Amino acid sequence: MASSVSAKPFLGSSAADSVSAFRSLPSDLSRPSLQFLIRTPASRKLRIKAAGSSFGTHFRVTTFGESHGGGVGCVVDGCPPRLPLLEADLQLDLDRRRPGQSRITTPRKETDTCRIYSGVSDGVTTGTPIMVLVPNTDQRGHDYSEMSKAYRPSHADATYDMKYGVRSVQGGGRSSARETIGRVAAGAIAKKILKEISGTEVLAYVSQVHNVELPQELVDHETLTLDQIESNIVRCPDPAYAEKMIAAIDAVRVRGDSVGGIVTCIVRNAPRGLGSPVFDKLEGLLAKAALSLPATKGFEFGSGFAGTYLTGSQHNDEFCVDENGRIRTRTNRSGGIQGGISNGEIINMRVAFKPTSTIGKKQHTVTREKQETDLIARGRHDPCVVPRAVPMVEAMAALVLVDQLMAHYAQCCLFPINPELQDPLSLSSARRGIEFAPSEEIANQL
């Protein structure tokens, strides 16, 4: 195959300058000249490829599918082998996410029944890519005929056109929250790994709907259970405030309007040492994961913005040694992470979701032909996304933690750990007196 040699510009120089300089090298070879040569096939043009559908490094998840296509799902690459895994393990969280589960969610009727097509044999993972598919069974593409011409205010319709020049009109395509099915399925796998390895639990709940805010002191994060969260349709662990939140959603639902809210997520028994300085700080990775969810507009960690009202002496988490000889903090305003690295305390974050942009009230907008018009959106949409966003937030947190767990093991647990400062990575290994480290024979050779 024919090929060509081109010079890549160094720093601020232009490509033309670099090629010109390459063709006419200076006769004075004592003068330094920096040139990078790239050999590329002459028939191939360099193109920028932007995907954005994959997440993670060691535990990597790619989601696929569109709201009103044949189905949605995910491919999970990097899952450890020999993990017991059944479709029922994924279905629990998919049922918490699915539409049509109550009057305060979209009335679209989907069972969201998943099927694992690869990566699992005889009930255990094989270490190869796991493919999970959930078919769409209740599509109504005709509901979006008006929206194929007019942009929904605050929706991704316009920006998808601005970026790609074409889009899937029905249901919003990839911008629909239906894309999150793949995330939730993958997150269920991640949560199972965390539970098996370190006893880590990831729990989220609704802490605010519109102007109804659950006081933080009413929820004990040390004892909070999934049953408390799932005890009502809004997924608020306090029954009294749950009723107030449901009433707030009902009030706008009957008017064809919508409201937003906040999901609080906690992580108990997170291994110490997850996250890395400087650009892979754990809270930064969690923020990216949470804000990649549809309709998210804000993220707080630990004390969050409220911490700006405190002084350093008020905000600092003092260290102490507990009855088991472990270093702990007396308070947890840091939210379980310091210096971008988990410290073993409860990880605490809050994610803000905007009001659903597709509503049944008349709104002013423009068409794709740039004509001003009014739009009354049809289709089936949540009057408030936060009750169904709870398992989505849990999934994204779990995906980050598993990815960082694998990274931490690869870097910091390959050789014997320092037992005075570090914890064994696996609770089950610790019970057996085994650390994630080379065998004694190998360790003696190091």
Side-chain angles (χ1 to χ4, degrees), residues 51-93:
S53 292
S54 297
F55 183 83
T57 303
H58 308 279
F59 189 92
R60 188 161 182 81
V61 178
T62 300
T63 69
F64 61 83
E66 297 172 344
S67 178
H68 286 252
V72 291
C74 67
V75 175
V76 178
D77 203 2
C79 180
R82 302 181 302 281
L83 172 74
L85 187 68
L86 301 172
E87 289 164 347
D89 296 325
L90 315 184
Q91 198 61 53
L92 174 64
D93 279 346

Side-chain angles (χ1 to χ4, degrees), residues 163-372:
K163 180 174 179 63
Y164 300 108
V166 64
R167 62 187 166 92
S168 174
V169 173
Q170 290 82 6
R174 291 287 285 170
S175 67
S176 167
R178 192 148 183 79
E179 174 272 332
T180 62
I181 283 178
R183 307 184 194 213
V184 171
I189 301 173
K191 286 199 284 188
K192 183 158 190 177
I193 296 172
L194 291 168
K195 187 72 172 178
E196 294 269 342
I197 293 296
S198 54
T200 302
E201 296 177 283
V202 183
L203 292 171
Y205 62 91
V206 175
S207 55
Q208 183 176 333
V209 167
H210 195 38
N211 55 6
V212 180
E213 183 177 1
L214 174 67
Q216 293 185 23
E217 62 270 15
L218 292 185
V219 182
D220 184 353
H221 289 168
E222 296 281 356
T223 61
L224 179 67
T225 66
L226 180 62
D227 287 341
Q228 287 178 287
I229 296 168
E230 294 295 315
S231 64
N232 53 74
I233 59 177
V234 78
R235 295 197 167 91
C236 172
D238 184 88
Y241 274 87
E243 289 302 318
K244 295 177 183 179
M245 292 177 182
I246 293 170
I249 298 174
D250 277 335
V252 296
R253 177 178 61 87
V254 297
R255 301 198 306 264
D257 213 336
S258 64
V259 290
I262 294 176
V263 172
T264 295
C265 182
I266 64 165
V267 181
R268 288 197 296 247
N269 298 321
R272 302 182 183 200
L274 303 189
S276 302
V278 168
F279 298 111
D280 288 331
K281 291 182 176 180
L282 187 56
E283 63 264 60
L285 298 174
L286 289 167
K288 176 183 177 180
L291 292 175
S292 72
L293 288 168
T296 52
K297 286 298 179 184
F299 181 86
E300 278 192 321
F301 193 87
S303 61
F305 290 101
T308 63
Y309 294 101
L310 304 178
T311 63
S313 59
Q314 294 171 323
H315 188 273
N316 288 345
D317 295 316
E318 294 183 348
F319 289 106
C320 63
V321 178
D322 68 11
E323 61 275 11
N324 298 315
R326 288 166 54 88
I327 296 175
R328 300 284 305 274
T329 59
R330 298 185 189 279
T331 54
N332 191 26
R333 299 182 188 92
S334 299
I337 299 175
Q338 293 169 324
I341 299 171
S342 60
N343 64 8
E345 305 298 332
I346 292 177
I347 293 175
N348 184 343
M349 70 198 86
R350 292 170 296 283
V351 187
F353 290 82
K354 69 174 183 176
T356 314
S357 55
T358 307
I359 59 176
K361 296 176 72 76
K362 182 187 291 187
Q363 299 181 92
H364 192 72
T365 186
V366 298
T367 66
R368 298 181 86 180
E369 290 73 32
K370 302 178 182 179
Q371 301 296 316
E372 295 197 10

